[in-house]
Amino acid sequence: MATQGQVITCKAAVAYEPNKPLVIEDVQVAPPQAGEVRIKVLFTALCHTDAYTWSGKDPEGLFPCILGHEAAGIVESVGEGVTEVQPGDHVIPCYQAECRECKFCKSGKTNLCGKVRTATGAGVMMNDRKSRFSINGKLIYHFMGTSTFSQYTVVHDVSVAKIDPQAPLDKVCLLGCGVPTGLGAVWNTAKVEPGSIVAIFGLGTVGLAVAEGAKSAGASRIIGIDIDSKKFDVAKNFGVTEFVNPKDYDKPIQQVLVDLTDGGVDYSFECIGNVSVMRAALECCHKGWGTSVIVGVAASGQEISTRPFQLVTGRVWKGTAFGGFKSRSQVPWLVDKYMKKEIKIDEYVTHNLTVGEINKAFDLMHEGGCLRCVLKMHE
């Protein structure tokens, strides 16, 4: 492409400070250095993690920054030494890297990767500990190693999944975060077996993806728990078989669920990020074998608590990041599953807007009727 090796000026939504509307700016995006890839972002979706950092509750949140981490696009250019992708490739940037060389990647026990984490957590690139974004010389920080609320972004090559060029980018962008997180929490982290009873706390995109994963794993009962009863009609389409609204009961929700399930559920999933709900999710699990998976991200400084006896008597508490999927290896596999109609994506997209309407998109997300809003990045 003619832009190779050049600084690109493009539109991006910049977060200057917590809770202040994002501003559409002309941003300069530097060329990729060694081990980096510059991507033309075509579509990006909004996720609650973007709103969480924008709210100022994220200890790693840096301002000014370009948020966004659920996207798809096309490689514009690559830096020195990049061999796995080339200009023109269709890709999904992944906040969960996979270098295949670090202690984490080689362990065979986790999808976490340590290679670029120190840089992505600090809003910069690994090579020179600097940002590739600026506005008239003023630095703008990266976010989660992705920064997809920009028409062009620069990411580490270990954070790029090359996908089927036939896949619709306005749909598969969702495979950058929420949908894999839910599916993988069931398939990889909990390993739900056929016949299991499952409880899901929070019926947003991630909770619905958990339901879909549980249904495909053969769960016999999938109980959705949410304080918004309007969500049940949608949830049924994803596999939820029963709905419980904690507001309808005087007793603690864990007791309600234990009573409903002859002693507790086999697996529970907390998809909200609320530490008191995390406790309820553990305590609604069946004695002796119940497993609760923490999927939601709580605000910084929050702590979880329960009585140790809950664990002594056989319950298991675990967590998951990106559903345990290895990004570069397995995101292309998820895209293929979607292309074969084995997993849903279209059904999660409730709104389509342009990047210029991003503040409206965040408002929609907080209103509850929106699962995923996909933004078109170029006119």
Side-chain angles (χ1 to χ4, degrees), residues 14-18 20-25 27 54 62-65 135 138 140:
V14 179
Y16 280 104
E17 50 188 308
K20 292 280 165 65
L22 303 183
V23 183
I24 304 296
E25 297 274 31
V27 175
W54 186 22
L62 297 160
F63 296 90
C65 72
I135 297 178
K138 183 174 170 14
I140 307 291

Side-chain angles (χ1 to χ4, degrees), residues 193-208:
E193 310 95 348
S196 301
I197 301 174
V198 171
I200 304 165
F201 291 80
L203 296 176
T205 297
V206 175
L208 295 177

Side-chain angles (χ1 to χ4, degrees), residues 70-148:
E70 195 172 278
I74 296 174
V75 174
E76 174 270 338
S77 60
V78 299
E80 190 188 327
V82 175
T83 55
E84 300 218 2
V85 293
Q86 57 193 33
D89 283 349
H90 287 217
V91 294
I92 293 176
C94 300
Y95 66 87
Q96 187 53 70
E98 183 193 351
C99 73
R100 302 174 181 151
E101 295 164 355
C102 72
K103 181 181 179 181
F104 292 94
C105 285
K106 285 181 163 171
S107 71
K109 295 180 178 183
T110 181
N111 67 322
L112 301 179
C113 169
K115 183 167 183 188
V116 296
R117 183 72 186 85
T118 53
T120 57
V124 294
M125 299 301 286
M126 195 77 190
N127 229 7
D128 58 359
R129 307 290 298 187
K130 288 182 181 161
S131 172
R132 302 288 168 263
F133 297 113
S134 59
I135 297 178
N136 303 325
K138 183 174 170 14
L139 171 140
I140 307 291
Y141 287 108
H142 293 251
F143 168 71
M144 289 178 78
T146 51
S147 288
T148 61

Side-chain angles (χ1 to χ4, degrees), residues 166-232:
Q166 299 301 313
L169 298 180
D170 61 329
K171 300 292 191 285
V172 296
C173 58
L174 266 60
L175 294 176
C177 180
V179 173
T181 298
L183 294 173
V186 176
W187 297 344
N188 303 325
T189 308
K191 299 184 168 67
V192 170
E193 310 95 348
S196 301
I197 301 174
V198 171
I200 304 165
F201 291 80
L203 296 176
T205 297
V206 175
L208 295 177
V210 168
E212 188 191 345
K215 182 181 179 181
S216 78
S220 62
R221 292 172 69 185
I222 302 172
I223 305 167
I225 300 107
D226 203 290
I227 54 173
D228 182 355
S229 296
K230 295 196 294 290
K231 291 187 177 175
F232 188 42

Side-chain angles (χ1 to χ4, degrees), residues 221-299:
R221 292 172 69 185
I222 302 172
I223 305 167
I225 300 107
D226 203 290
I227 54 173
D228 182 355
S229 296
K230 295 196 294 290
K231 291 187 177 175
F232 188 42
D233 279 342
V234 173
K236 283 193 278 204
N237 303 330
F238 291 85
V240 173
T241 58
E242 300 158 59
F243 184 75
V244 176
N245 187 334
K247 288 182 171 174
D248 295 342
Y249 299 88
D250 295 327
K251 55 188 173 183
I253 187 64
Q254 50 266 59
Q255 191 56 52
V256 173
L257 292 163
V258 167
D259 294 345
L260 276 174
T261 55
D262 185 27
V265 303
D266 300 307
Y267 296 96
S268 72
F269 298 86
E270 200 278 358
C271 307
I272 303 164
N274 178 315
V275 293
S276 62
V277 178
M278 290 173 189
R279 177 172 191 158
L282 175 80
E283 294 178 359
C284 78
C285 286
H286 202 289
K287 183 176 175 178
W289 64 77
T291 296
S292 186
V293 181
I294 295 175
V295 189
V297 177

